[in-house]
Amino acid sequence: MLLAHEIVGDGPLAVVVHGITESRETWRPLIGRLAEHYCVVAVDLRGHGQSPAGDAYDPLTLAGDVRETLAATGHDGIDEALLIGHSLGGIVVSAYGAMFPSRAIVNVDQPLRLSAFKEGLSQLEPLLKGDTDSFAMAIGLVFGSMAGALPADQMARIDALRRPDQSVVLGIWGTVFDSSPADLDAQVDALVGAVTVPYLALHGMDPGDDYGAWLTGAVPSASVEVWPDVGHYPHLVHPDRFLGRIADFDPAR
């Protein structure tokens, strides 16, 4: 699927991918600044922002959409793109790195141990699958606890941009609901095991004491960094620090 997107700036290709229920507008405070050094492609995943809905929402399909969209831009550096994904976008860019050539991957605050994610999400499954009010309540519970150090006006901006579509959310999280923890671990191991490019996992919420050892064991090219007590949006809480970290990490810089 060709995704709604925008292209800003010149230079090496950098792609930014948003989280679930959000859109490329979530990245708005950083797009212009990234464009000082990159040709930035900001996308709306299927079922989000200005992109149409689809009939599948698994990570491989979502990553395939990003690839198709990049190919349509005509940029001659799509095999050397830097992929930066937040939340759901972190899973999408990880899948992209497993499927397609890239320069490097940055995963912002999305732990890849989906069996652990299932444990927490399953408590909200009845609400998420319930009526409109129950679904809205569940979405509020999911994101209400993630602001961390993000200023209230920025959190209000993101909440105003948020467009939770129940069918899309359930399509994305359906694999988590329908798979056993062991099956989820096997799926993730197969996915991340195919990533060979430099991989930065940057977390504002602690993914757990043993997460770093697990990820670097699964992806030898990975490094894990935790910014304590920042919350789910470290790139927006500390934009200067985030941009500096990207510059230090990116092989093209």
Side-chain angles (χ1 to χ4, degrees):
M1 175 186 293
L2 185 63
L3 302 174
H5 63 282
E6 64 183 275
I7 305 171
V8 185
D10 295 304
L13 192 61
V15 184
V16 293
V17 187
H18 59 81
I20 194 169
T21 75
E22 298 176 5
S23 72
R24 67 184 189 270
E25 289 300 325
T26 309
W27 281 96
R28 184 60 57 193
L30 291 174
I31 290 175
R33 297 186 64 183
L34 284 167
E36 294 173 8
H37 304 282
Y38 296 103
C39 174
V40 179
V41 179
V43 302
D44 289 342
L45 295 173
R46 61 169 60 191
H48 293 77
Q50 297 176 327
S51 291
D55 55 2
Y57 293 95
D58 60 277
L60 299 183
T61 297
L62 298 178
D65 290 343
V66 175
R67 179 68 175 189
E68 180 178 341
T69 302
L70 293 183
T73 67
H75 195 288
D76 61 6
I78 66 169
D79 284 348
E80 293 293 328
L82 169 68
L83 279 295
I84 309 171
H86 170 247
S87 195
L88 168 64
I91 294 179
V92 174
V93 298
S94 300
Y96 187 103
M99 296 169 65
F100 306 110
S102 62
R103 181 166 78 250
I105 304 291
V106 180
N107 174 352
V108 183
D109 209 62
Q110 177 57 63
L112 296 180
R113 263 184 165 169
L114 296 184
S115 58
F117 179 59
K118 176 183 175 68
E119 183 178 346
L121 191 66
S122 292
Q123 299 176 37
L124 294 176
E125 185 175 357
L127 289 175
L128 288 165
K129 293 182 175 179
D131 60 21
T132 301
D133 290 341
S134 296
F135 174 74
M137 180 185 298
I139 291 296
L141 290 170
V142 168
F143 292 104
S145 62
M146 291 185 173
L150 190 67
D153 61 336
Q154 285 226 49
M155 195 69 238
R157 180 186 73 88
I158 293 171
D159 285 339
L161 292 170
R162 198 179 305 285
R163 295 291 183 269
D165 182 294
Q166 189 171 21
S167 63
V168 173
V169 169
L170 293 179
I172 291 169
W173 284 343
T175 300
V176 177
F177 291 139
D178 297 339
S179 302
S180 69
D183 286 343
L184 283 173
D185 284 342
Q187 292 172 42
V188 170
D189 287 346
L191 180 72
V192 300
V195 176
T196 58
V197 297
Y199 187 103
L200 173 63
L202 175 60
H203 295 271
M205 301 174 68
D206 192 345
D209 292 340
D210 64 341
Y211 182 78
W214 169 78
L215 183 61
T216 54
V219 185
S221 62
S223 56
V224 180
E225 191 169 319
V226 179
W227 296 358
D229 304 317
V230 171
H232 190 48
Y233 298 89
H235 53 312
L236 299 179
V237 173
H238 295 302
D240 291 341
R241 182 181 179 187
F242 178 75
L243 292 169
R245 188 67 187 91
I246 294 296
D248 290 341
F249 170 72
D250 183 8
R253 297 281 299 278

mmCIF file of all heavy atoms in Angstrom, residues 6-9 16 24-38 40-43 243:
data_model
loop_
_atom_site.group_PDB
_atom_site.id
_atom_site.type_symbol
_atom_site.label_atom_id
_atom_site.label_comp_id
_atom_site.label_asym_id
_atom_site.label_seq_id
_atom_site.Cartn_x
_atom_site.Cartn_y
_atom_site.Cartn_z
ATOM 1 N N GLU A 6 5.068 12.669 3.637
ATOM 2 C CA GLU A 6 5.656 13.928 3.196
ATOM 3 C C GLU A 6 7.164 13.771 3.167
ATOM 4 O O GLU A 6 7.732 12.924 3.871
ATOM 5 C CB GLU A 6 5.257 15.078 4.114
ATOM 6 C CG GLU A 6 5.746 14.963 5.536
ATOM 7 C CD GLU A 6 5.257 16.115 6.409
ATOM 8 O OE1 GLU A 6 5.930 17.166 6.403
ATOM 9 O OE2 GLU A 6 4.214 15.951 7.064
ATOM 10 N N ILE A 7 7.797 14.579 2.327
ATOM 11 C CA ILE A 7 9.244 14.540 2.154
ATOM 12 C C ILE A 7 9.780 15.943 2.410
ATOM 13 O O ILE A 7 9.324 16.913 1.798
ATOM 14 C CB ILE A 7 9.615 14.082 0.735
ATOM 15 C CG1 ILE A 7 8.959 12.739 0.412
ATOM 16 C CG2 ILE A 7 11.130 13.988 0.589
ATOM 17 C CD1 ILE A 7 9.105 12.320 -1.040
ATOM 18 N N VAL A 8 10.768 16.031 3.316
ATOM 19 C CA VAL A 8 11.322 17.331 3.691
ATOM 20 C C VAL A 8 12.838 17.211 3.750
ATOM 21 O O VAL A 8 13.369 16.266 4.335
ATOM 22 C CB VAL A 8 10.796 17.794 5.067
ATOM 23 C CG1 VAL A 8 11.277 19.206 5.380
ATOM 24 C CG2 VAL A 8 9.280 17.720 5.141
ATOM 25 N N GLY A 9 13.536 18.169 3.144
ATOM 26 C CA GLY A 9 14.982 18.230 3.283
ATOM 27 C C GLY A 9 15.726 17.459 2.210
ATOM 28 O O GLY A 9 15.143 16.821 1.323
ATOM 29 N N VAL A 16 10.745 8.365 9.374
ATOM 30 C CA VAL A 16 10.191 8.364 10.727
ATOM 31 C C VAL A 16 8.806 7.723 10.696
ATOM 32 O O VAL A 16 7.993 7.997 9.814
ATOM 33 C CB VAL A 16 10.144 9.774 11.339
ATOM 34 C CG1 VAL A 16 11.550 10.303 11.574
ATOM 35 C CG2 VAL A 16 9.353 10.758 10.482
ATOM 36 N N ARG A 24 2.027 10.819 11.448
ATOM 37 C CA ARG A 24 3.310 11.508 11.274
ATOM 38 C C ARG A 24 3.325 12.854 11.978
ATOM 39 O O ARG A 24 4.397 13.384 12.279
ATOM 40 C CB ARG A 24 3.636 11.671 9.790
ATOM 41 C CG ARG A 24 2.728 12.590 8.996
ATOM 42 C CD ARG A 24 3.132 12.556 7.515
ATOM 43 N NE ARG A 24 2.467 13.547 6.684
ATOM 44 C CZ ARG A 24 1.316 13.354 6.051
ATOM 45 N NH1 ARG A 24 0.671 12.195 6.182
ATOM 46 N NH2 ARG A 24 0.798 14.307 5.284
ATOM 47 N N GLU A 25 2.145 13.404 12.272
ATOM 48 C CA GLU A 25 2.089 14.690 12.977
ATOM 49 C C GLU A 25 2.699 14.608 14.368
ATOM 50 O O GLU A 25 3.147 15.623 14.909
ATOM 51 C CB GLU A 25 0.649 15.184 13.055
ATOM 52 C CG GLU A 25 0.069 15.647 11.732
ATOM 53 C CD GLU A 25 0.853 16.804 11.122
ATOM 54 O OE1 GLU A 25 1.367 17.653 11.885
ATOM 55 O OE2 GLU A 25 0.971 16.855 9.891
ATOM 56 N N THR A 26 2.714 13.424 14.962
ATOM 57 C CA THR A 26 3.359 13.278 16.264
ATOM 58 C C THR A 26 4.830 13.659 16.191
ATOM 59 O O THR A 26 5.406 14.173 17.153
ATOM 60 C CB THR A 26 3.207 11.832 16.769
ATOM 61 O OG1 THR A 26 1.842 11.432 16.690
ATOM 62 C CG2 THR A 26 3.678 11.702 18.208
ATOM 63 N N TRP A 27 5.442 13.410 15.032
ATOM 64 C CA TRP A 27 6.855 13.722 14.833
ATOM 65 C C TRP A 27 7.091 15.185 14.441
ATOM 66 O O TRP A 27 8.250 15.589 14.247
ATOM 67 C CB TRP A 27 7.436 12.833 13.732
ATOM 68 C CG TRP A 27 7.767 11.446 14.168
ATOM 69 C CD1 TRP A 27 7.003 10.324 14.040
ATOM 70 C CD2 TRP A 27 8.973 11.024 14.806
ATOM 71 N NE1 TRP A 27 7.660 9.231 14.549
ATOM 72 C CE2 TRP A 27 8.874 9.635 15.027
ATOM 73 C CE3 TRP A 27 10.141 11.692 15.203
ATOM 74 C CZ2 TRP A 27 9.887 8.895 15.642
ATOM 75 C CZ3 TRP A 27 11.157 10.951 15.806
ATOM 76 C CH2 TRP A 27 11.019 9.576 16.027
ATOM 77 N N ARG A 28 6.041 15.978 14.333
ATOM 78 C CA ARG A 28 6.157 17.326 13.778
ATOM 79 C C ARG A 28 7.262 18.164 14.436
ATOM 80 O O ARG A 28 8.006 18.869 13.726
ATOM 81 C CB ARG A 28 4.811 18.040 13.874
ATOM 82 C CG ARG A 28 4.770 19.435 13.233
ATOM 83 C CD ARG A 28 5.098 19.409 11.752
ATOM 84 N NE ARG A 28 4.206 18.519 11.019
ATOM 85 C CZ ARG A 28 4.427 18.115 9.776
ATOM 86 N NH1 ARG A 28 5.523 18.506 9.120
ATOM 87 N NH2 ARG A 28 3.577 17.302 9.166
ATOM 88 N N PRO A 29 7.422 18.157 15.759
ATOM 89 C CA PRO A 29 8.458 19.008 16.358
ATOM 90 C C PRO A 29 9.876 18.654 15.936
ATOM 91 O O PRO A 29 10.793 19.470 16.102
ATOM 92 C CB PRO A 29 8.272 18.779 17.872
ATOM 93 C CG PRO A 29 6.855 18.331 18.022
ATOM 94 C CD PRO A 29 6.583 17.508 16.803
ATOM 95 N N LEU A 30 10.086 17.446 15.384
ATOM 96 C CA LEU A 30 11.427 17.009 15.027
ATOM 97 C C LEU A 30 11.662 16.916 13.522
ATOM 98 O O LEU A 30 12.816 16.836 13.092
ATOM 99 C CB LEU A 30 11.711 15.632 15.653
ATOM 100 C CG LEU A 30 11.851 15.618 17.178
ATOM 101 C CD1 LEU A 30 11.975 14.183 17.674
ATOM 102 C CD2 LEU A 30 13.053 16.431 17.611
ATOM 103 N N ILE A 31 10.609 16.925 12.728
ATOM 104 C CA ILE A 31 10.777 16.720 11.288
ATOM 105 C C ILE A 31 11.659 17.800 10.675
ATOM 106 O O ILE A 31 12.607 17.516 9.934
ATOM 107 C CB ILE A 31 9.410 16.636 10.583
ATOM 108 C CG1 ILE A 31 8.697 15.330 10.958
ATOM 109 C CG2 ILE A 31 9.581 16.739 9.062
ATOM 110 C CD1 ILE A 31 7.278 15.219 10.411
ATOM 111 N N GLY A 32 11.366 19.055 10.968
ATOM 112 C CA GLY A 32 12.155 20.143 10.396
ATOM 113 C C GLY A 32 13.608 20.103 10.827
ATOM 114 O O GLY A 32 14.516 20.377 10.033
ATOM 115 N N ARG A 33 13.840 19.742 12.063
ATOM 116 C CA ARG A 33 15.213 19.704 12.564
ATOM 117 C C ARG A 33 15.978 18.520 11.965
ATOM 118 O O ARG A 33 17.166 18.647 11.641
ATOM 119 C CB ARG A 33 15.209 19.651 14.086
ATOM 120 C CG ARG A 33 14.582 20.908 14.718
ATOM 121 C CD ARG A 33 14.712 20.915 16.209
ATOM 122 N NE ARG A 33 16.111 20.968 16.618
ATOM 123 C CZ ARG A 33 16.500 20.917 17.896
ATOM 124 N NH1 ARG A 33 15.592 20.805 18.860
ATOM 125 N NH2 ARG A 33 17.789 20.965 18.200
ATOM 126 N N LEU A 34 15.329 17.396 11.805
ATOM 127 C CA LEU A 34 15.969 16.278 11.119
ATOM 128 C C LEU A 34 16.281 16.638 9.671
ATOM 129 O O LEU A 34 17.306 16.231 9.114
ATOM 130 C CB LEU A 34 15.066 15.044 11.169
ATOM 131 C CG LEU A 34 15.012 14.287 12.492
ATOM 132 C CD1 LEU A 34 13.845 13.300 12.494
ATOM 133 C CD2 LEU A 34 16.320 13.546 12.765
ATOM 134 N N ALA A 35 15.391 17.439 9.060
ATOM 135 C CA ALA A 35 15.554 17.805 7.654
ATOM 136 C C ALA A 35 16.744 18.730 7.425
ATOM 137 O O ALA A 35 17.137 18.959 6.274
ATOM 138 C CB ALA A 35 14.281 18.457 7.134
ATOM 139 N N GLU A 36 17.336 19.256 8.484
ATOM 140 C CA GLU A 36 18.566 20.042 8.327
ATOM 141 C C GLU A 36 19.732 19.165 7.886
ATOM 142 O O GLU A 36 20.732 19.665 7.347
ATOM 143 C CB GLU A 36 18.905 20.745 9.643
ATOM 144 C CG GLU A 36 17.877 21.802 10.055
ATOM 145 C CD GLU A 36 18.149 22.352 11.447
ATOM 146 O OE1 GLU A 36 19.216 22.013 12.017
ATOM 147 O OE2 GLU A 36 17.303 23.096 11.961
ATOM 148 N N HIS A 37 19.606 17.856 8.120
ATOM 149 C CA HIS A 37 20.695 16.936 7.795
ATOM 150 C C HIS A 37 20.275 15.783 6.892
ATOM 151 O O HIS A 37 21.139 15.083 6.364
ATOM 152 C CB HIS A 37 21.276 16.351 9.089
ATOM 153 C CG HIS A 37 21.743 17.380 10.062
ATOM 154 N ND1 HIS A 37 22.933 18.049 9.927
ATOM 155 C CD2 HIS A 37 21.147 17.873 11.181
ATOM 156 C CE1 HIS A 37 23.079 18.908 10.926
ATOM 157 N NE2 HIS A 37 22.023 18.818 11.700
ATOM 158 N N TYR A 38 18.965 15.576 6.736
ATOM 159 C CA TYR A 38 18.465 14.409 6.032
ATOM 160 C C TYR A 38 17.373 14.792 5.040
ATOM 161 O O TYR A 38 16.723 15.833 5.180
ATOM 162 C CB TYR A 38 17.839 13.411 7.020
ATOM 163 C CG TYR A 38 18.778 12.816 8.023
ATOM 164 C CD1 TYR A 38 18.787 13.261 9.342
ATOM 165 C CD2 TYR A 38 19.654 11.789 7.664
ATOM 166 C CE1 TYR A 38 19.643 12.699 10.276
ATOM 167 C CE2 TYR A 38 20.504 11.220 8.602
ATOM 168 C CZ TYR A 38 20.501 11.682 9.906
ATOM 169 O OH TYR A 38 21.344 11.128 10.830
ATOM 170 N N VAL A 40 14.020 13.657 4.853
ATOM 171 C CA VAL A 40 13.131 12.981 5.803
ATOM 172 C C VAL A 40 11.846 12.568 5.095
ATOM 173 O O VAL A 40 11.189 13.392 4.445
ATOM 174 C CB VAL A 40 12.789 13.897 6.993
ATOM 175 C CG1 VAL A 40 11.841 13.177 7.964
ATOM 176 C CG2 VAL A 40 14.056 14.339 7.713
ATOM 177 N N VAL A 41 11.498 11.305 5.222
ATOM 178 C CA VAL A 41 10.202 10.811 4.774
ATOM 179 C C VAL A 41 9.412 10.432 6.018
ATOM 180 O O VAL A 41 9.817 9.541 6.774
ATOM 181 C CB VAL A 41 10.335 9.598 3.837
ATOM 182 C CG1 VAL A 41 8.951 9.101 3.411
ATOM 183 C CG2 VAL A 41 11.160 9.954 2.612
ATOM 184 N N ALA A 42 8.319 11.134 6.241
ATOM 185 C CA ALA A 42 7.440 10.862 7.381
ATOM 186 C C ALA A 42 6.157 10.232 6.842
ATOM 187 O O ALA A 42 5.516 10.796 5.954
ATOM 188 C CB ALA A 42 7.123 12.150 8.138
ATOM 189 N N VAL A 43 5.799 9.072 7.367
ATOM 190 C CA VAL A 43 4.673 8.314 6.827
ATOM 191 C C VAL A 43 3.539 8.209 7.841
ATOM 192 O O VAL A 43 3.747 8.314 9.047
ATOM 193 C CB VAL A 43 5.107 6.889 6.404
ATOM 194 C CG1 VAL A 43 6.210 6.946 5.366
ATOM 195 C CG2 VAL A 43 5.542 6.065 7.617
ATOM 196 N N LEU A 243 18.311 14.234 19.070
ATOM 197 C CA LEU A 243 18.936 14.523 17.782
ATOM 198 C C LEU A 243 20.449 14.321 17.850
ATOM 199 O O LEU A 243 21.060 13.838 16.895
ATOM 200 C CB LEU A 243 18.596 15.950 17.354
ATOM 201 C CG LEU A 243 17.124 16.193 16.999
ATOM 202 C CD1 LEU A 243 16.846 17.684 16.856
ATOM 203 C CD2 LEU A 243 16.735 15.451 15.728
#
